[in-house]
Amino acid sequence: MAVKTTFSAQEFREILSYYNLGEYQGFTPISHGSVQTNFFLQTTQGRFVFRYYENRSIGSVLFESHLIQYLKGQQYPCPALLLNRQGEAVGIYREKPYIIFEFIEGQHLEYPDEMQKRQFIQEVAQLQNITRDYQPVNKDDRWNYDIDCGRKLARQAAQRIDTTNAREKLAWFEHTLSQLQLPASLPRGICHCDFHFSNILFKDGNFAALIDFDDANYTFLTYDLATLINPFIPAFDWDSWSDFKPGDNIFDFSAARETVLEYNSYRPLSPDEKQYLFDVFKLSIMFDCVWYFERGNVSDFFEKRKIDALNNLGRDAFYQEIFG
């Protein structure tokens, strides 16, 4: 259960006293999520979601609250924020920020069908359409996924782990980052950056909402698209990659090609975005490497094998497989 901080009924009564959300009736911990603490709150006016930010600064949470208010103003399907009597979306309790969200009915589908996948891809493209010209608040309080951010986080991970393997992996990581081509002409905006199935809601078979913008940040607009495509065969994964030998053919672009085609129909990619999708995709792999920095020996590990395969394929061949 992903509850790191416990709350009593009396504490929730105290928090709700600052809102016009009815009388407290009960709460239930939410097991989904592994970072922040979440509860369902039941009042005489209905059901709400209480999120307590365990490891986010007030600036980071303000980034999220302003973004969600902007998205709701654009009729984007995501949960609304409930304001307190002072008109504020972010509260502080025990020196940590929290937000109370609208509750949206729906189901989390680990295996959506083809129609549901297309609906989801459309909403991802619309998120980038809406936020391309959005000016984020407290942008620097978020990890904005680019080369500098990746380098900083990898150095922190290597220092924390403090082993020879971690230091050597950092050297590989920094060299690989230096090979990426990400020109200033690539448009930036807001990407969600966490499309785990528990963050996507469907109702009656149709897309209902995208939730949990805890990892959203200001980055290359194609970053979300890069995380949606998987040009590798299904059998090649984090727990099975070692079954393959270096040089084995591990590519299957059919699903990736369909995803990009669907996305492009709602947000047409610029020539530069097409040309450098190869590099943004590699950047997304590098951030996976950051999150799992302790995993694998520097000589051969999952993310390195993926990068090596892409380097052997090359940017031009990748482009032809996706767009040709």
Side-chain angles (χ1 to χ4, degrees), residues 183-225:
S185 59
L186 288 177
R188 301 196 187 205
I190 301 298
C191 287
H192 183 276
C193 298
D194 186 10
F195 293 138
H196 189 270
F197 74 92
S198 63
N199 293 332
I200 306 161
L201 283 173
F202 292 90
K203 184 179 180 182
D204 299 328
N206 294 311
F207 183 90
L210 180 62
I211 66 175
D212 193 352
F213 285 76
D214 190 36
D215 290 324
N217 65 84
Y218 187 76
T219 183
F220 304 103
L221 279 178
T222 49
Y223 191 93
D224 269 349
L225 174 60

Side-chain angles (χ1 to χ4, degrees), residues 38 126 172:
N38 303 283
Q126 297 294 15
W172 170 86

